[in-house]
Amino acid sequence: MKKFTSVDDIQDLDELISLAKKIKAAPFSDSEKGKNKTLGLLFFNPSLRTRLSTQKAALNLGMNAIVMNLNTEGWSLEFEDGAIMDGNSAEHVKEAAQVVSQYCDIVAIRSFPTLTDKKKDEEEYVINAFLKYASVPVISLEGSTEHPLQAVADALTIQEYKTTARPKVVLTWAPHPKALPHAVPNSFVKVMKKADVDFVITHPEGYNLNPEFTQGVTITHNQDEAFANADFIYAKNWSSYDNYGQILSKDPSWTVTPEKMALTNNAKFMHCLPVRRNMIVNDAVLDSDASIVIPQANNRTYAAQAILTKILENEK
């Protein structure tokens, strides 16, 4: 593995999940693999699980980890080629990416979308600029359109908790007071299409995801119908894709409740966190034995460690 910026970079999901499970059973068994190697974690946006889990994964492998919040600790970067830099940007990504590559053996970047400029967001202009100008492998810590590390942790969690060979997995939209990106649902869709599951997406009218990602997936606007006999419920909000970045509804009837969960086959509840209690999901569900959001978050470390392992092995 030379980079990891998309679920598409996973060549064999089963093999990757098996590696993550092996790492989870003995997280320090390869503590020399990253010796004298440095992971640079560059954040343009806030983080809790992604930052801590990826940093921990690097430390488990014996790597050094350098963390920098670009928007508050670094120079403002310019990304446009041929730009006349007479504004707020003090440094071009051309130099920044090359300099970081001299300090770090792997660079990982987190950069949220604008949610106003669909074309710019879908170009993944921040992460792709680092891919273009950096001379070391690049990892996405969440971009404008994908969150592939989260997707690996999600797939690992489903593998651990499934009770049937081919479980029914439902991705459901849920209300939220803010316009949220499509990265998590997009990557979850991609990874579920690689997995051996019965996968269904449910959302209100107007909340279609990018059809390039959802092609071939069963989609319904009837949440109750989708929940019937489900083994896993993954709740997530996202803003409109067609009316890009807009909130079209905050319909509370889409909140995941005990009554909704009762329609399932004793399903496990999943969410990437952070989660808006009693808006995305009721307390009674989130605090129940059905909720596996904390083990799911714990798996972020082993997902990241598996990816780092694959990249380090490729560098030898």
Side-chain angles (χ1 to χ4, degrees), residues 53-316:
S53 63
T54 310
Q55 190 170 357
K56 181 179 178 181
L59 295 174
N60 287 353
L61 289 167
M63 300 184 75
N64 299 309
I66 299 174
V67 181
M68 188 171 187
N69 295 302
L70 269 296
N71 285 348
T72 57
E73 299 173 340
W75 300 110
S76 178
L77 295 185
E78 176 60 60
F79 290 89
E80 297 293 333
D81 287 339
I84 299 173
M85 292 175 56
D86 59 355
N88 293 329
S89 298
E91 182 165 15
H92 202 284
V93 69
K94 287 184 180 182
E95 289 76 55
Q98 292 179 76
V99 168
V100 170
S101 298
Q102 296 178 104
Y103 305 149
C104 304
D105 300 282
I106 302 172
V107 60
I109 300 154
R110 185 176 180 93
S111 177
F112 289 172
T114 65
L115 285 182
T116 56
D117 189 331
K118 182 189 287 190
K119 182 177 183 295
K120 188 174 185 179
D121 288 344
E122 292 189 333
E123 289 173 352
E124 289 282 6
Y125 70 98
V126 174
I127 289 174
N128 280 335
F130 277 88
L131 278 172
K132 182 176 181 180
Y133 297 115
S135 56
V136 297
V138 174
I139 294 174
S140 170
L141 300 174
E142 185 174 359
S144 298
T145 63
E146 281 204 55
H147 195 346
L149 283 177
Q150 178 68 56
V152 176
D154 296 339
L156 171 59
T157 305
I158 289 171
Q159 178 67 29
E160 288 179 327
Y161 282 88
K162 71 178 185 179
T163 57
T164 60
R166 192 170 190 270
K168 181 179 179 181
V169 179
V170 177
L171 172 63
T172 180
W173 180 94
H176 195 283
K178 296 173 63 178
L180 294 188
H182 306 98
V184 169
N186 281 346
S187 284
F188 188 69
V189 169
K190 281 191 171 187
V191 84
M192 287 299 98
K193 289 174 75 172
K194 288 178 175 286
D196 185 17
V197 299
D198 175 14
F199 184 48
V200 178
I201 302 172
T202 184
H203 58 72
E205 296 278 357
Y207 277 101
N208 296 317
L209 292 165
N210 185 335
E212 292 182 11
F213 296 162
T214 59
Q215 184 177 7
V217 177
T218 299
I219 300 172
T220 176
H221 303 307
N222 186 325
Q223 191 185 42
D224 289 354
E225 179 183 277
F227 274 44
N229 299 314
D231 298 293
F232 293 90
I233 300 297
Y234 195 125
K236 186 71 182 78
N237 175 267
W238 58 87
S239 55
S240 175
Y241 177 76
D242 295 327
N243 294 286
Y244 192 64
Q246 298 300 305
I247 297 175
L248 306 181
S249 170
K250 297 180 185 178
D251 185 356
S253 72
W254 282 79
T255 297
V256 179
T257 64
E259 292 75 20
K260 296 285 181 67
M261 294 296 289
L263 301 171
T264 71
N265 181 31
N266 296 312
K268 297 298 185 183
F269 176 82
M270 299 176 67
H271 190 279
C272 61
L273 302 182
V275 64
R276 300 277 183 141
R277 283 176 173 263
N278 302 307
M279 189 154 196
I280 294 283
V281 56
N282 279 8
D283 286 340
V285 174
L286 194 58
D287 295 330
S288 73
D289 291 339
S291 175
I292 55 173
V293 299
I294 302 304
Q296 181 185 357
N298 186 43
N299 279 339
R300 293 295 308 279
T301 296
Y302 312 112
Q305 196 167 333
I307 295 300
L308 288 170
T309 296
K310 299 286 281 186
I311 290 175
L312 288 169
E313 289 176 348
N314 184 73
E315 292 296 288
K316 290 184 177 179

Side-chain angles (χ1 to χ4, degrees), residues 18-34:
S18 294
L19 175 60
K21 291 173 75 173
K22 179 181 176 182
I23 288 169
K24 186 174 182 178
F28 308 110
S29 60
D30 281 330
S31 59
E32 294 291 308
K33 189 178 290 288

